Amino acid sequence: MLMKRLIVCLDIRDRQVTKGVRFEGNLPVGDPVELAGRYYQEGADEMVFYDITASAEARPIDIDMVREVGRRIFIPFTVGGGIGSVADMRRALLAGADKVSVNSLAVAHPEIVAAGAREFGSQCIVLGLDARKTPDPAFPSGYEVVVRGGRTPTGLDVVDWARRAVELGVGEICLNSIDADGVRQGYDLVITRRVAEAVPVPVVASGGAGNVRHLRDALVEGRADAALIASLAHIDGNSCRRLKDELRGWGIPMRQ
Amino acid sequence: MTAILDYDAGNTESMRLALEKVGAKPEVTCDIAKLARAQRLVFPGVGSAAQCMRILRERRLDQVIRDAFRDGKPILAVCIGIQLLFDRSEEDGGVPALGVFPGQVERFIPPPDDPGVKIPHMGWNRVRFLAPHPILPPPGGYGEFYFVHSYYPVPAWEDTAVRHLPPLPGRPGGKVYGATDHAGVDFAAIVGLGSCLATQFHPEKSGEVGLAILERFKTWDGQTC
């Protein structure tokens, strides 16, 4: 039986892992390569590295860092931020990354994402999808897709966009609730479940984990295939192994 | 030297880094002379069957693999590597493959009654070891490995303990050394024949248990138990 995954997310600014609240007020928490090595030893199933300032500074992702990470961890990892072309995707994948994550790029240039999926396979392309709750009836799912760290609304409905992205060739969706991100009150289970039930590809719940119960809720009530954590690892110092032991206690299949 | 076959099939860098980590001396190459001199071959990759077979043929690497197999050189095949060793794959409308292992490769069909089952089979799954092999943990035990694939191998061997298909006349038998399940199918996750061992999962991405297999491959002489 396929297990659920616990993914540690490292947001990187100026070669430091940072942790913020709703994309603001970031605090440095450590060196990405050192932290990656530690989380690998502590049983993380997968990792994501977001170069959070690459897009804003219009520069490509830090490839040297990707190479160093590849020498330290022997589990799958995704890189995102600063992926603007098929050539950027190729560079990251050739440096040892398993997947690349695209967010604003998929909204602005869906054809680039489709070309990447054809070239490297859908399993290499993750859609980062930031969702914000809205009362506007123009959005049937009740959530709108936002980009640029939540600053820019797109007019796209979250479930519609998730389905379209899968048609483009995206092989996984990392669904981040902007309202819940960094607040540590739990994932948004409503939109997680709506997306997980709407698409045939794996869905990663992101944004809002404050304790292990929240992880359980995302994987069970939210029907997510994986749960992404940041503060739980960086700030609270929880080891993935201990979190997964607790999840296994609830009957959720997790890797030992 | 351990040669990693270079046929533009994705993640050769991950395999190189993992082999380096366990102290092997890996080199990614498509140079026929170098491949012939290599003590061991690794046949990695992610990609589509048709595209991979086309490049293998263009670079004459199909013959390199068959020659190495005939000569008893240790070969480790991973992911698309295991799939291309079979007679044919259902992918891309049907692709004739290398024919080193008898059998074929079929697509997972999502069970209509369970929307929770996703294709591709992506993530960690538990593999049970079925038979003794010098580079694998002992039979009876389990290990957790990382998979990413939409097609799975169906060997045409009687002793698979996974699928019961008749043996083919005039073809040597191999073994299914490990099995796991997805989308309602119990399938072969590790297949071996002679000096060739093949895994559907990625040992280079499966943490310490995966690295342990690569470490034993580094000194394996190609003999089976």
Side-chain angles (χ1 to χ4, degrees):
Chain A
M1 185 188 197
L2 189 63
M3 300 184 192
K4 301 283 188 181
R5 287 171 279 153
L6 185 60
I7 303 176
V8 182
C9 174
L10 296 88
D11 285 341
I12 295 153
R13 173 200 289 264
D14 301 330
R15 199 59 206 265
Q16 280 283 309
V17 177
T18 69
K19 182 62 202 133
V21 176
R22 290 195 180 108
F23 291 93
E24 284 161 17
N26 288 284
L27 296 168
V29 292
D31 175 73
V33 177
E34 293 306 315
L35 280 174
R38 192 181 106 202
Y39 297 141
Y40 169 69
Q41 292 300 336
E42 290 179 354
D45 295 323
E46 203 168 314
M47 276 177 236
V48 183
F49 300 83
Y50 286 122
D51 192 332
I52 56 173
T53 49
S55 279
E57 294 168 8
R59 58 169 172 79
I61 196 153
D62 181 350
I63 285 295
D64 289 338
M65 187 205 73
V66 177
R67 282 214 184 81
E68 282 184 51
V69 166
R71 277 194 281 271
R72 284 296 279 275
I73 70 171
F74 299 93
I75 53 173
F77 68 96
T78 302
V79 298
I83 303 283
S85 63
V86 171
D88 287 342
M89 295 178 189
R90 182 179 297 111
R91 219 170 287 126
L93 296 170
L94 287 179
D98 297 275
K99 313 179 205 180
V100 291
S101 177
V102 289
N103 188 325
S104 314
L105 178 73
V107 174
H109 293 288
E111 74 284 358
I112 297 179
V113 174
R118 276 195 305 274
E119 175 107 15
F120 311 112
S122 290
Q123 80 286 342
C124 291
I125 314 290
V126 181
L127 176 74
L129 196 171
D130 291 335
R132 172 169 283 154
K133 209 178 217 165
T134 171
D136 186 340
F139 301 92
S141 71
Y143 292 79
E144 181 179 8
V145 179
V146 292
V147 293
R148 303 177 62 81
R151 289 188 293 275
T152 311
T154 63
L156 296 164
D157 178 75
V158 165
V159 170
D160 284 350
W161 174 232
R163 286 205 181 103
R164 267 178 49 206
V166 171
E167 284 166 20
L168 287 174
V170 158
E172 183 166 79
I173 294 176
C174 182
L175 177 72
N176 186 53
S177 160
I178 288 288
D179 309 293
D181 186 63
V183 186
R184 316 193 62 184
Q185 298 298 308
Y187 299 93
D188 187 325
L189 302 179
V190 174
I191 192 59
T192 302
R193 181 161 180 163
R194 275 184 199 155
V195 173
E197 289 183 341
V199 296
V201 302
V203 170
V204 181
S206 164
N211 60 49
V212 66
R213 175 83 201 187
H214 294 150
L215 304 180
R216 180 226 163 255
D217 292 345
L219 299 171
V220 178
E221 325 290 336
R223 305 268 170 104
D225 299 276
L228 188 125
I229 61 169
S231 308
L232 270 180
H234 307 322
I235 295 173
D236 301 355
N238 283 288
S239 90
C240 290
R241 197 163 282 120
R242 193 182 65 69
L243 294 170
K244 294 198 294 180
D245 283 345
E246 286 197 46
L247 292 167
R248 228 178 283 112
W250 275 306
I252 301 172
M254 304 295 294
R255 168 185 170 236
Q256 295 282 342
Chain B
M1 188 261 284
T2 298
I4 302 171
L5 282 179
D6 177 11
Y7 64 111
D8 292 343
N11 245 340
T12 47
E13 181 64 2
S14 305
M15 182 58 85
R16 193 184 70 76
L17 292 170
L19 285 166
E20 219 163 52
K21 170 78 179 172
V22 300
K25 302 212 166 17
E27 187 175 335
V28 179
T29 182
C30 60
D31 181 308
I32 304 275
K34 270 191 187 165
L35 290 165
R37 282 198 306 272
Q39 286 143 312
R40 293 182 175 74
L41 283 192
V42 177
F43 179 21
V46 284
S48 80
Q51 162 93 345
C52 290
M53 277 309 298
R54 186 177 60 75
I55 298 175
L56 285 176
R57 289 205 183 92
E58 273 173 20
R59 298 186 182 173
R60 301 177 184 250
L61 299 173
D62 52 339
Q63 202 50 48
V64 167
I65 296 165
R66 290 197 192 94
D67 290 350
F69 177 68
R70 184 201 58 212
D71 298 344
K73 188 179 280 191
I75 304 171
L76 179 67
V78 168
C79 196
I80 191 77
I82 186 175
Q83 299 189 359
L84 296 179
L85 287 171
F86 283 87
D87 293 321
R88 66 184 296 282
S89 169
E90 263 187 3
E91 195 175 358
D92 300 318
V95 176
L98 295 166
V100 171
F101 294 161
Q104 59 168 351
V105 171
E106 297 178 7
R107 189 176 166 83
F108 285 118
I109 298 167
D113 53 337
D114 188 354
V117 173
K118 307 277 171 123
I119 313 290
H121 175 222
M122 177 156 75
W124 298 80
N125 208 333
R126 180 177 278 193
V127 172
R128 30 178 227 289
F129 299 109
L130 301 172
H133 189 282
I135 75 168
L136 296 173
Y142 292 88
E144 294 161 338
F145 295 93
Y146 187 76
F147 291 82
V148 189
H149 60 125
S150 300
Y151 293 77
Y152 63 96
V154 183
W157 291 320
E158 201 172 35
D159 65 348
T160 62
V162 174
R163 284 286 195 101
H164 296 276
L165 294 172
L168 298 176
R171 295 284 288 273
K175 273 185 191 154
V176 173
Y177 287 97
T180 189
D181 70 290
H182 184 64
V185 190
D186 200 20
F187 70 91
I190 314 173
V191 176
L193 176 56
S195 66
C196 183
L197 189 79
T199 65
Q200 180 59 65
F201 56 78
H202 289 270
E204 77 281 16
K205 285 285 166 184
S206 294
E208 302 299 312
V209 285
L211 291 180
I213 292 175
L214 297 179
E215 183 153 29
R216 288 186 293 260
F217 177 71
K218 182 184 74 173
T219 52
W220 182 38
D221 61 4
Q223 300 295 310
T224 50
C225 301

